[in-house]
Amino acid sequence: MSRPDFRQIAADTRLYNFHGHTQYCDGRATVAEFAAAAAAAGFRHYGFSPHSPIPVDSSCNMSQADVDRYLADVAEARRCYGDRVNFYAGMEIDYLGPMWGPSHSYFRDLGLDYSIGSVHFIPTQDGRLVDIDGNFERFRYNMQRNFGGNIRYVVDTYFRHSLEMIEAGGFDILGHFDKVAHNASQWQPGIEDEPWYAAWISRMFEAISESGVIVEVNTKSYEQHGRLFPGMRHLPRLLASGATILVNSDAHDTRLINASREYAFGLLDGISISSRQLYAET
């Protein structure tokens, strides 16, 4: 399978999804089960993106020992459904700092069809890597135990690593680039309205425009928490940036393989129509 032409796919169809997780990481179904679900849902393009191997202990990330078997499973999905769906072997690669991320030679040599670059872990003030991406109860525990309650440090480090990752490159799709907001806003309500937080978002959009990276609108949390990533407040700016946008479900369960994607497309369509009307009136 050749690398997907995301810009062409996004222009041609909405029957795609390039962010999903199986039993190889923290997903709750096999590659074969997701392949069957993708075919049943009528997708024309479907990408698997297990959380990448990382050099620290994590129950949510796949092991290097499983990579060959994962690639073989995707090849089998192509054999079974290749006349109906184009399947792609990708990874969601964790950026842990200069020593590990999408630009690392390990990933270049795997022969992946594509990759998503994401930040889920950040270093504590004393250099230990800690996951800040999970549910709020775990986030609160880590804030108290590992970060001394310093939410400014957590958010600053998250965005600094995100910008470093974009600059280093080596990936195709920028994953849920403001996801820290979900937990941070529960820890400190109103944090997204703070000028310093807004400044980070501006820097992210500058980096997106300069790099030309593809950006996903991630719908995973909408059904349960009413959130998209990037947040709905940022969608007009995302459209105005000219970036290629993919709407991905980030499904961990086959039942959610297409969850909230139509809602997100509706929002984007509405913003586009409003923008065209505004320009027509001025």
Side-chain angles (χ1 to χ4, degrees):
M1 177 66 65
S2 59
R3 292 175 62 82
D5 184 340
F6 293 112
R7 291 173 174 82
Q8 192 62 53
I9 290 169
D12 289 346
T13 184
R14 294 180 172 182
L15 299 174
Y16 66 77
N17 188 59
F18 289 99
H19 195 155
H21 300 280
T22 70
Q23 89 284 9
Y24 284 111
C25 53
D26 58 348
R28 292 180 287 277
T30 65
V31 169
E33 289 167 336
F34 266 101
F43 283 112
R44 290 172 54 190
H45 303 272
Y46 190 85
F48 298 96
S49 58
H51 291 290
S52 69
I54 56 176
V56 295
D57 290 336
S58 169
S59 61
C60 294
N61 290 71
M62 75 183 306
S63 69
Q64 291 189 20
D66 283 336
V67 171
D68 287 344
R69 186 168 51 168
Y70 158 64
L71 295 174
D73 282 357
V74 177
E76 177 64 12
R78 291 173 182 149
R79 189 189 68 79
C80 293
Y81 301 99
D83 59 334
R84 298 164 60 186
V85 187
N86 293 310
F87 287 109
Y88 305 91
M91 277 189 188
E92 183 177 15
I93 302 175
D94 278 294
Y95 180 81
L96 303 181
M99 75 290 195
W100 193 259
S103 63
H104 193 280
S105 60
Y106 169 75
F107 298 107
R108 292 199 304 270
D109 296 339
L110 290 181
L112 298 171
D113 297 318
Y114 74 100
S115 61
I116 301 170
S118 296
V119 175
H120 299 99
F121 297 78
I122 65 168
T124 62
Q125 291 92 326
D126 61 1
R128 293 174 292 111
L129 286 164
V130 172
D131 182 1
I132 61 166
D133 184 67
N135 61 49
F136 181 66
E137 290 305 311
R138 186 170 71 181
F139 181 83
R140 180 165 57 189
Y141 172 84
N142 283 327
M143 281 294 300
Q144 295 167 339
R145 180 178 177 83
N146 296 304
F147 295 108
N150 190 339
I151 191 65
R152 180 69 184 262
Y153 169 84
V154 169
V155 173
D156 284 349
T157 306
Y158 173 88
F159 281 118
R160 187 176 71 252
H161 274 214
S162 297
L163 290 168
E164 290 174 2
M165 181 180 69
I166 293 172
E167 183 176 2
F171 64 97
D172 302 285
I173 303 168
L174 178 62
H176 46 60
F177 77 74
D178 67 339
K179 197 174 182 191
V180 70
H182 175 57
N183 282 326
S185 64
Q186 292 180 76
W187 178 268
Q188 181 179 311
I191 195 170
E192 293 172 271
D193 299 318
E194 295 284 343
W196 66 268
Y197 187 99
W200 278 118
I201 295 296
S202 293
R203 291 182 64 184
M204 288 295 293
F205 273 112
E206 290 170 5
I208 287 166
S209 296
E210 291 172 2
S211 67
V213 69
I214 296 162
V215 180
E216 74 168 4
V217 172
N218 186 302
T219 66
K220 175 188 173 184
S221 291
Y222 184 76
E223 186 170 295
Q224 184 175 4
H225 301 292
R227 293 198 71 119
L228 301 174
F229 303 108
M232 292 180 224
R233 66 174 73 187
H234 305 309
L235 296 184
R237 195 169 182 180
L238 178 58
L239 280 167
S241 75
T244 296
I245 300 169
L246 296 174
V247 177
N248 291 327
S249 69
D250 193 358
H252 290 60
D253 187 306
T254 56
R255 295 179 298 106
L256 302 175
I257 197 167
N258 204 27
S260 303
R261 292 182 69 252
E262 285 305 313
Y263 174 77
F265 277 122
L267 284 179
L268 294 169
D269 288 344
I271 293 167
S272 295
I273 291 169
S274 296
S275 297
R276 285 197 297 271
Q277 290 174 340
L278 177 64
Y279 288 130
E281 293 169 0
T282 57

